[in-house]
Amino acid sequence: MDLDSLAQHCGEWLRGTGPDSDIVMSSRIRLARNLAEFPFPNRADTAAKSEIETLISERMKALSQRQKLNYIRVSDLNALDRQFLVERQLISRELSEGSGPRGVGISDEENISVMINEEDHVRMQVIHSGFALDDCWAEINRVDDLLEHEISFAFDDRLGYLTACPTNVGTGIRVSVMLHLPGLVLTKDIQKVFQALQKLRLAVRGLYGEGSQAMGDFYQISNQVTLGRSEEDLIKTIKEVIPSILKYERRARETLLLENREGLHDQIARAFGILSSAQTITTEETLHLLSSVRMGVNLGLIDELQIPAINELLILTQPAHLQKVRKKPLESAERNIARASLLRQRLTAREHETN
Amino acid sequence: MDLDSLAQHCGEWLRGTGPDSDIVMSSRIRLARNLAEFPFPNRADTAAKSEIETLISERMKALSQRQKLNYIRVSDLNALDRQFLVERQLISRELSEGSGPRGVGISDEENISVMINEEDHVRMQVIHSGFALDDCWAEINRVDDLLEHEISFAFDDRLGYLTACPTNVGTGIRVSVMLHLPGLVLTKDIQKVFQALQKLRLAVRGLYGEGSQAMGDFYQISNQVTLGRSEEDLIKTIKEVIPSILKYERRARETLLLENREGLHDQIARAFGILSSAQTITTEETLHLLSSVRMGVNLGLIDELQIPAINELLILTQPAHLQKVRKKPLESAERNIARASLLRQRLTAREHETN
């Protein structure tokens, strides 16, 4: 799998073709698994990690007829390439910043990724565009079964799957949905959503998972509990709560339009104007403005642009992506210039023609 | 003279064709004169003012062969039309907001205007594009001579021309130059200019003269003294100081480009982006952003636009102009929408084509 060619486009989950993709960016399920006969990665030495990596990556190859996974040795990559995979949501920050032998198997469409030697020996994830948890669940179940056929995972009859961190013990599942909630942020109702989710023991995180700040009105909703409830039950909790958030967000947008259409249109149009003309721009401001523009497209206030193009820009304007496209390391100030240039090129018809 | 047709374009002094018009918006000279046999306007009753108005406007007509002036009875105009003439710099705020019979004679090109019953019985002004005080002086001298041929002005051998306010006694002259100094504002050197001008007893004012705030980096420099020095001498003082301010402003722009070309370009490009996309915008923000764009055009950082177009927008986006163009009174919020619409129409090629 060639990272340079990956940098030119985006995975399936960003195409914005899934259900409710005006608000739901993506759905994701990941499972944590460990080999019974090895210490957890945080206790394993390099030799053991190497053995684990070889074992699992070999098994991945073995099942290539039923599920092809392109294997990338993350421990061989430089910091830029690792960051690049984090930005594409194919590996976690933990795997990127870890030490010792580790890697990831990625499907061609980038929907499936299987990390080796992250916090657990195996972390597999399936990600899809829009609100599509059933698809994610069906697919990850299949991948899990395929792997389990080859590998014996640590499992306790009473506790379930054993994991390095007790918060993952049991099902080892994390079900998450990435939502774009600019309306609720503008009406200041977003805190109410957070409170309701907390009562359901669901976590809210930013664009890049655990510890990351919510930027550009993107929020990841996921389960905190993994023990004592079935996978289906945990998925059901999230599946049931999301539609009310969607309804709430859509109502917020309607209210904003009703109460101050001109003001909302102005904010959105200016965001588009700045993105199309800036000569230097940070990641944070880009996310913030793209968020406004994304809502504007969904509300029919901007017609120059489609949702997939915006979703793609959310990823392509990230630091490592910019450097992969330019094929050279760029300092922060240079990245801000490259980012502005990419945005102008993609957003203005005029520059499109001349470029 | 039809005010509605005036609203569609701008006078000669805004064409930006005069010398140094990258920095000097306009040069202006006005003379204050009074009739010997009448009390000053602030002491005159309606009957006296009416007599003054009739007398002077009749004399204006008499000299129409040598200098055609279109006479407008300002006291017959509604508030919107009066404001409109203020925005075009054809009458002063004082004349607009005054009471009793009063009016103004305006040349076709709008370079010459002669106000009747302002603070003084006669206030004549000549305004030209760019740094052109000699032209202004030659022209206003001619107009003054023509009028003086018809009318006997109050003159004292020791004091000179007598005026309602002692600060105008003597020559009755105000020489002023409107400068666009965004570079010195950005480098924060503008205060030094103000201090230097103060020592020369020159006044600094905003876009709309006395009492108006400096907006959009536009500053009007004018003499404060009118007594004890000849007109030529007063003009000379300003003519001599302006070139050093121009040099200082040009150096400030060069420094900004040298030290942070990308940052300056970014600020200018964003200003253009916002002006081209906003759905609602205030006069103040418009002036502020047009100021950036104006500097950008002069520095060759923006090529979609020419200086005369920007100068024109500075006037056409003013409240009364917007209402004259739309041919109806508009509330502040409606004006902000109309202003944004006008800006988009004038600044974006796309909207140009479809409108």
Side-chain angles (χ1 to χ4, degrees):
Chain A
M1 190 167 235
D2 175 17
L3 297 194
D4 288 324
S5 69
L6 272 190
Q8 304 296 329
H9 65 278
C10 278
E12 179 277 340
W13 65 273
L14 266 172
R15 291 200 193 132
T17 48
D20 296 309
S21 56
D22 55 333
I23 298 175
V24 187
M25 294 283 291
S26 62
S27 303
R28 194 171 71 103
I29 296 182
R30 74 109 165 101
L31 299 175
R33 298 289 184 258
N34 288 277
L35 307 182
E37 61 274 24
F38 288 93
F40 290 131
N42 60 338
R43 292 295 181 109
D45 59 16
T46 307
K49 281 192 182 177
S50 181
E51 224 179 308
I52 296 161
E53 193 213 352
T54 308
L55 192 151
I56 305 173
S57 60
E58 288 300 321
R59 301 291 154 89
M60 261 189 220
K61 277 184 205 155
L63 51 87
S64 71
Q65 274 212 312
R66 303 201 45 198
Q67 178 59 62
K68 190 187 155 212
L69 293 173
N70 307 283
Y71 189 67
I72 296 167
R73 282 209 77 193
V74 174
S75 35
D76 288 349
L77 298 180
N78 61 31
L80 178 63
D81 284 345
R82 297 199 307 272
Q83 177 61 23
F84 172 76
L85 293 174
V86 172
E87 290 174 3
R88 289 183 93 76
Q89 315 230 2
L90 293 171
I91 68 172
S92 63
R93 264 207 310 230
E94 289 69 21
L95 190 78
S96 168
E97 290 162 15
S99 65
R102 62 203 193 282
V104 63
I106 301 166
S107 68
D108 287 336
E109 286 283 278
E110 297 180 52
N111 292 100
I112 305 170
S113 71
V114 180
M115 290 186 279
I116 303 176
N117 284 333
E118 208 246 24
E119 187 180 281
D120 297 294
H121 296 148
V122 177
R123 286 269 178 113
M124 52 190 117
Q125 79 165 21
V126 169
I127 188 165
H128 274 297
S129 168
F131 188 29
L133 285 174
D134 288 338
D135 291 349
C136 293
W137 178 233
E139 202 157 339
I140 202 151
N141 239 333
R142 195 176 53 76
V143 176
D144 188 33
D145 288 350
L146 285 171
L147 284 174
E148 203 146 25
H149 200 260
E150 303 281 328
I151 309 163
S152 164
F153 289 139
F155 187 84
D156 177 275
D157 282 340
R158 199 173 55 88
L159 290 172
Y161 289 102
L162 300 178
T163 55
C165 177
T167 59
N168 288 311
V169 166
T171 55
I173 199 173
R174 170 150 290 152
V175 183
S176 61
V177 173
M178 180 74 75
L179 301 178
H180 181 220
L181 303 174
L184 291 168
V185 171
L186 281 176
T187 60
K188 299 193 169 63
D189 288 323
I190 192 82
Q191 284 301 330
K192 288 183 206 160
V193 175
F194 293 169
Q195 283 158 16
L197 292 171
Q198 219 165 12
K199 281 185 196 158
L200 291 166
R201 300 187 67 185
L202 296 176
V204 183
R205 297 190 173 89
L207 203 48
Y208 287 98
E210 205 148 359
S212 77
Q213 277 239 308
M215 282 197 294
D217 315 319
F218 295 100
Y219 296 93
Q220 197 188 91
I221 317 281
S222 63
N223 63 304
Q224 284 178 309
V225 180
T226 57
L227 186 67
R229 290 172 66 188
S230 72
E231 288 90 341
E232 285 83 358
D233 197 34
L234 290 164
I235 294 169
K236 193 165 161 266
T237 306
I238 296 204
K239 267 185 68 180
E240 281 175 358
V241 75
I242 296 298
S244 33
I245 301 179
L246 301 188
K247 203 170 149 187
Y248 202 26
E249 167 68 18
R250 289 199 180 102
R251 204 163 52 203
R253 293 178 185 186
E254 276 165 30
T255 306
L256 288 165
L257 275 180
L258 213 64
E259 287 178 356
N260 185 10
R261 186 188 179 88
E262 207 56 54
L264 187 67
H265 190 185
D266 184 53
Q267 184 197 316
I268 288 164
R270 282 168 182 246
F272 188 73
I274 293 171
L275 287 169
S276 318
S277 59
Q279 300 294 316
T280 170
I281 191 164
T282 62
T283 312
E284 198 176 344
E285 188 183 5
T286 303
L287 274 175
H288 174 69
L289 297 175
L290 281 175
S291 169
S292 276
V293 169
R294 195 177 190 280
M295 174 165 62
V297 171
N298 281 323
L299 292 177
L301 296 173
I302 289 187
D303 51 12
E304 292 97 329
L305 211 58
Q306 302 299 316
I307 290 297
I310 300 171
N311 291 355
E312 203 170 39
L313 281 175
L314 288 168
I315 300 297
L316 296 182
T317 55
Q318 298 288 326
H321 272 76
L322 287 172
Q323 295 173 79
K324 290 299 286 182
V325 169
R326 294 288 175 111
K327 294 190 202 311
K328 63 177 178 187
L330 300 170
E331 297 293 318
S332 167
E334 295 172 312
R335 289 201 301 272
N336 292 345
I337 293 170
R339 182 176 298 114
S341 165
L342 175 75
L343 285 163
R344 291 200 308 279
Q345 198 179 329
R346 296 261 178 154
L347 296 180
T348 66
R350 203 180 61 82
E351 300 225 6
H352 242 313
E353 286 157 19
T354 57
N355 272 275
Chain B
M1 188 168 237
D2 175 16
L3 296 195
D4 288 323
S5 69
L6 272 190
Q8 305 295 330
H9 66 277
C10 278
E12 181 276 341
W13 65 273
L14 265 171
R15 291 201 193 131
T17 49
D20 296 308
S21 56
D22 55 334
I23 298 175
V24 187
M25 294 284 290
S26 61
S27 301
R28 194 171 73 102
I29 296 182
R30 74 110 167 101
L31 298 175
R33 298 288 183 260
N34 288 276
L35 307 182
E37 62 274 26
F38 288 91
F40 291 130
N42 59 337
R43 292 294 182 111
D45 58 16
T46 307
K49 282 190 182 179
S50 180
E51 222 178 313
I52 296 162
E53 194 213 351
T54 308
L55 192 151
I56 305 174
S57 60
E58 289 299 322
R59 302 290 154 88
M60 262 189 219
K61 276 185 207 157
L63 51 90
S64 71
Q65 274 212 310
R66 301 200 46 199
Q67 178 59 61
K68 189 187 155 212
L69 293 174
N70 307 282
Y71 189 66
I72 296 168
R73 280 209 80 194
V74 174
S75 35
D76 288 348
L77 298 180
N78 61 29
L80 178 63
D81 283 345
R82 297 200 306 271
Q83 178 60 24
F84 172 77
L85 292 174
V86 172
E87 290 174 3
R88 290 183 92 79
Q89 315 229 3
L90 293 171
I91 68 172
S92 63
R93 265 207 311 232
E94 288 69 20
L95 190 76
S96 168
E97 289 161 17
S99 63
R102 61 205 193 282
V104 63
I106 301 167
S107 68
D108 286 338
E109 287 283 278
E110 298 180 49
N111 291 101
I112 305 169
S113 72
V114 180
M115 291 185 279
I116 303 176
N117 284 335
E118 208 246 27
E119 187 180 285
D120 296 294
H121 295 148
V122 177
R123 285 270 179 112
M124 52 191 117
Q125 78 165 23
V126 168
I127 188 165
H128 274 297
S129 169
F131 188 30
L133 285 174
D134 288 339
D135 290 350
C136 293
W137 177 234
E139 201 156 338
I140 201 151
N141 239 333
R142 193 177 54 77
V143 174
D144 187 34
D145 287 349
L146 284 171
L147 283 173
E148 205 147 22
H149 201 260
E150 303 281 328
I151 309 164
S152 164
F153 290 137
F155 186 84
D156 178 276
D157 283 339
R158 199 173 54 90
L159 291 173
Y161 288 101
L162 300 179
T163 55
C165 177
T167 59
N168 288 312
V169 166
T171 56
I173 198 172
R174 170 150 290 153
V175 183
S176 63
V177 173
M178 179 74 74
L179 301 178
H180 181 221
L181 304 174
L184 291 168
V185 171
L186 281 175
T187 60
K188 300 193 167 61
D189 288 323
I190 192 82
Q191 284 302 329
K192 288 182 205 159
V193 175
F194 292 170
Q195 282 157 17
L197 292 171
Q198 218 163 15
K199 280 184 195 156
L200 292 166
R201 300 187 68 185
L202 296 176
V204 182
R205 297 189 173 90
L207 203 48
Y208 287 97
E210 205 149 357
S212 77
Q213 276 239 308
M215 282 199 292
D217 315 321
F218 294 100
Y219 297 92
Q220 196 189 91
I221 317 280
S222 63
N223 64 303
Q224 284 178 308
V225 180
T226 57
L227 186 67
R229 291 172 66 190
S230 72
E231 288 90 341
E232 284 83 357
D233 197 33
L234 291 164
I235 294 170
K236 192 165 161 267
T237 305
I238 295 205
K239 267 185 69 179
E240 281 175 357
V241 75
I242 296 297
S244 33
I245 301 178
L246 301 188
K247 202 168 150 188
Y248 201 26
E249 167 67 18
R250 290 201 178 99
R251 205 162 52 204
R253 295 180 184 186
E254 276 166 30
T255 306
L256 288 165
L257 274 180
L258 213 64
E259 287 178 358
N260 185 10
R261 185 188 179 87
E262 207 55 53
L264 188 67
H265 190 185
D266 184 53
Q267 185 198 315
I268 288 164
R270 283 169 182 246
F272 188 73
I274 293 171
L275 287 169
S276 318
S277 58
Q279 301 294 316
T280 169
I281 192 163
T282 62
T283 312
E284 197 175 346
E285 188 183 4
T286 303
L287 273 176
H288 174 69
L289 297 175
L290 281 176
S291 169
S292 275
V293 169
R294 194 177 190 281
M295 174 165 62
V297 171
N298 281 324
L299 292 175
L301 296 174
I302 289 187
D303 51 11
E304 292 97 329
L305 210 59
Q306 302 299 316
I307 290 298
I310 300 171
N311 290 356
E312 204 171 38
L313 280 175
L314 287 168
I315 300 297
L316 296 182
T317 56
Q318 298 288 327
H321 272 75
L322 287 173
Q323 295 173 80
K324 289 300 284 182
V325 168
R326 294 289 175 110
K327 296 191 202 309
K328 62 177 179 188
L330 299 170
E331 296 292 317
S332 166
E334 295 171 311
R335 289 200 301 270
N336 292 345
I337 293 170
R339 181 176 298 113
S341 166
L342 175 76
L343 285 164
R344 291 200 308 280
Q345 197 180 330
R346 296 261 178 155
L347 295 179
T348 68
R350 204 181 61 83
E351 300 223 10
H352 240 312
E353 286 157 19
T354 57
N355 271 275

